[in-house]
Amino acid sequence: MRHPLLPLLFAVALTILPLRAQDKVTRSVLELGRTDNRTMEHADYIARNIGGRIVGSHMLNHAEDWVAAQFRSWGLDVIVQEAVTIGVGFDRGPWFGRMLSEDGMSLHFGTPAYTAGTCGPQKGRVLLEPKTLRDFNRMKGALKGAWVLLETGATSGLAIDASPKADSTRAALLAEGKEGSVLLYRQMVEAGVLGFIRPAKLPMQVLYNRAMCFDLTMETLPKACDILLDEHQFEHIRQKVVDRQDFLLEFDIRNHFFPGPMKYHNIIGVIKGSKYPDEYVMMGSHLDAYDIATGSTDDGQGVCVTMEAARLLAASGAKPKRSIMFCIWTGEEYGLLGSKYFVENKTVPWNKISNYFNRDGGPLAAVSITVPPAMYEDFSKVCAPLKDYNPDIPFEVIKREGPPRPRPERAGGSDQASFAIKGIPAISFRESDIFGYDFRYRDIWHTEDDLFDKLVPAYMEHSAVVQAVTAYGIANLDHLLSREGLYQ
């Protein structure tokens, strides 16, 4: 005769076994995070083997292939989703400049992506830009083969707008008798200037030709260089021009254009859910980066943390109830293009996403997460193993006080916005420079200082473990996270 307690014991066993399996995976992630954390190996490859990864470049394609190969080598399913096409490609080679005079010096400068290079080393005299048509007519013969200083004040790092629309606006202002910087841009280009030089604050921000890069053809490439020069050197050179001293500037800028189309992709690694494969926990970071530096922090560090979270779970034998997606987005710097494509094309149903975690804020330590009251119990349970994981970097779950926030109406900031404006939960970790390494995001944000030595290994390795444990725990809940009180 069957024992009367057998059904109860069987039910208890069914409950305990998944918990033990989950504990085993979580324990493995925590242990591997301490003893075999490879976050910085990924970072080293991104920074030192690939470097800058701007949309349009071969290096971004290289980076995509590398990420996909890594995911596959760890046993993840891989989705390669074409999200961005650009008609003309752009690769950056070396650049060099110097002032040729008795007090000559090497020049500290950069050029926005998708702007002209030189045809080998180019020497020329230096002139201050004409501000009026009268000034232009007085000096137009001298402009051919000259470098022109634009006294515009510090720049944002974007290229001078040389689009037909900008030319039309400048022409209208000139017709009204207006005076000002760059109003005679097209006239100076047609007069044969070598290029334009603008002052830039340090560390130098150098971005791209926002107005034209997607509309360029091989027949409409820019002709005049667009140089952002250390503001201190700029002022020194400007004063020499004012004093009418005799000197030359020489630049060798190897900016290379080539025919497209160039196509760029979201690379998504997936650990498929065992019980609810069509429900998802997601995390992501963006792979594209400006090419004045190596994109180590913005957002190489995020990519490395996301990848290591995937590797830790795969190496621990994770078989979550829900699918976990590790999303490496493209085109974030050009307007969240990759994540926007994923969301707007409903790659997965919006109502089946439990939460999307984004990492794009610097190489800092994940120290807490603030959630609506309806999510608090679930997150407290899921994040419990993190409480004592690293005593030097304590982790806490915080219940949000006050009314829900309004749902965002416009995308901005980073890739989480593509989800939030659709009402999809996109709660991310709060990150902190808890040991006081004096990290300042503005120092690296789109600047020449976005380099490998700005990374903080202890923070990044810790954050990879936090993301892995949290995502795995949420994927193993018996329900999707509640959206009650998420937005107004």
Side-chain angles (χ1 to χ4, degrees):
M1 186 176 84
R2 188 171 66 173
H3 194 284
L5 292 179
L6 190 59
L8 178 60
L9 292 171
F10 183 69
V12 170
L14 288 178
T15 303
I16 292 174
L17 285 174
L19 289 176
R20 284 181 175 171
Q22 179 177 346
D23 289 344
K24 181 180 178 182
V25 169
T26 301
R27 286 196 304 270
S28 177
V29 168
L30 297 175
E31 181 62 21
L32 287 173
R34 291 189 187 96
T35 62
D36 184 27
N37 197 309
R38 302 183 190 177
T39 306
M40 299 311 296
E41 289 184 23
H42 313 323
D44 183 85
Y45 192 88
I46 285 178
R48 293 181 171 150
N49 285 278
I50 302 177
R53 306 170 300 281
I54 198 156
V55 168
S57 69
H58 287 107
M59 299 315 290
L60 183 52
N61 287 141
H62 176 185
E64 292 174 357
D65 293 343
W66 173 73
V67 171
Q70 293 299 298
F71 280 160
R72 292 189 180 105
S73 73
W74 302 331
L76 276 65
D77 295 334
V78 175
I79 299 170
V80 177
Q81 183 180 53
E82 185 180 313
V84 178
T85 300
I86 191 165
V88 173
F90 177 87
D91 281 339
R92 192 188 296 280
W95 62 94
F96 172 78
R98 59 180 177 166
M99 183 172 72
L100 303 174
S101 64
E102 289 184 357
D103 58 343
M105 59 183 172
S106 293
L107 299 177
H108 177 197
F109 72 99
T111 60
Y114 280 92
T115 61
T118 60
C119 296
Q122 295 287 314
K123 298 177 185 177
R125 62 183 299 195
V126 185
L127 301 173
L128 296 180
E129 68 167 315
K131 300 290 180 60
T132 66
L133 278 171
R134 181 178 178 181
D135 287 341
F136 173 78
N137 289 326
R138 174 179 55 81
M139 61 190 294
K140 62 183 178 181
L143 287 167
K144 184 176 178 61
W147 301 104
V148 177
L149 300 184
L150 301 181
E151 300 175 279
T152 59
T155 74
S156 65
L158 290 168
I160 298 168
D161 188 346
S163 66
K165 181 179 179 181
D167 284 341
S168 177
T169 299
R170 286 191 283 258
L173 291 171
L174 282 171
E176 294 172 7
K178 298 288 175 58
E179 299 179 5
S181 181
V182 203
L183 287 185
L184 291 150
Y185 173 83
R186 186 56 56 193
Q187 289 88 338
M188 288 187 280
V189 170
E190 291 173 356
V193 298
L194 291 174
F196 302 93
I197 303 173
R198 297 179 284 158
K201 290 186 177 297
L202 303 180
M204 196 179 297
Q205 274 193 328
V206 181
L207 306 184
Y208 72 116
N209 190 343
R210 175 186 290 172
M212 296 182 64
C213 65
F214 279 96
D215 296 323
L216 281 177
T217 68
M218 294 303 291
E219 289 71 42
T220 60
L221 299 181
K223 296 181 174 62
C225 296
D226 186 351
I227 295 168
L228 305 181
L229 179 65
D230 177 331
E231 62 181 347
H232 306 292
Q233 293 185 336
F234 181 95
E235 182 54 33
H236 178 71
I237 292 169
R238 191 196 71 82
Q239 191 60 52
K240 289 174 74 71
V241 175
V242 170
D243 294 341
R244 301 188 73 81
Q245 295 185 34
D246 189 23
F247 69 100
L248 299 174
L249 296 185
E250 180 183 44
F251 291 96
D252 185 358
I253 302 167
R254 304 184 187 187
N255 290 353
H256 307 297
F257 295 89
F258 51 89
M262 298 293 288
K263 298 180 182 295
Y264 298 97
H265 309 83
N266 296 325
I267 307 298
I268 303 168
V270 184
I271 298 178
K272 194 168 184 179
S274 59
K275 187 173 182 180
Y276 311 112
D278 297 325
E279 296 180 359
Y280 305 89
V281 177
M282 301 177 62
M283 66 178 75
S285 311
H286 70 87
L287 188 57
D288 62 307
Y290 289 114
D291 56 353
I292 185 63
T294 62
S296 297
T297 290
D298 186 13
D299 186 28
Q301 62 82 26
V303 170
C304 298
V305 168
T306 301
M307 291 178 67
E308 183 59 8
R311 191 196 71 84
L312 288 170
L313 287 170
S316 299
K319 291 180 172 49
K321 293 179 181 177
R322 281 175 194 79
S323 297
I324 304 177
M325 303 184 85
F326 306 90
C327 305
I328 307 301
W329 307 116
T330 193
E332 189 269 357
E333 300 291 6
Y334 282 20
L336 315 184
L337 300 181
S339 57
K340 182 179 178 181
Y341 183 92
F342 179 95
V343 172
E344 293 191 348
N345 285 275
K346 296 189 175 180
T347 307
V348 301
W350 299 348
N351 64 340
K352 298 296 185 181
I353 300 173
S354 202
N355 191 68
Y356 168 71
F357 297 93
N358 195 64
R359 185 173 171 95
D360 183 20
L364 304 179
V367 297
S368 66
I369 191 163
T370 300
V371 300
M375 293 186 184
Y376 180 74
E377 184 177 341
D378 285 333
F379 268 94
S380 296
K381 172 185 172 184
V382 161
C383 295
L386 298 170
K387 186 175 181 181
D388 301 318
Y389 167 64
N390 187 344
D392 295 327
I393 309 179
F395 184 87
E396 63 177 333
V397 177
I398 302 169
K399 184 187 296 185
R400 191 180 70 199
E401 303 293 340
R405 301 186 188 95
R407 193 169 96 184
E409 295 181 356
R410 292 185 298 175
S414 189
D415 290 300
Q416 77 282 350
S418 297
F419 293 82
I421 62 174
K422 304 299 185 183
I424 301 166
I427 298 170
S428 293
F429 300 98
R430 185 177 75 84
E431 297 156 6
S432 173
D433 183 5
I434 194 168
F435 296 152
Y437 287 116
D438 195 29
F439 175 80
R440 302 180 188 185
Y441 190 67
R442 284 283 172 179
D443 288 349
I444 61 86
W445 185 55
H446 304 162
T447 77
E448 60 190 338
D449 284 354
D450 189 354
L451 301 167
F452 184 82
D453 63 6
K454 296 296 188 295
L455 301 179
V456 186
Y459 292 165
M460 293 167 58
E461 291 168 357
H462 170 81
S463 298
V465 174
V466 168
Q467 291 200 180
V469 169
T470 305
Y472 184 69
I474 292 173
N476 274 305
L477 294 173
D478 290 328
H479 51 270
L480 292 165
L481 290 171
S482 171
R483 300 190 181 189
E484 179 185 346
L486 180 63
Y487 300 116
Q488 287 180 6

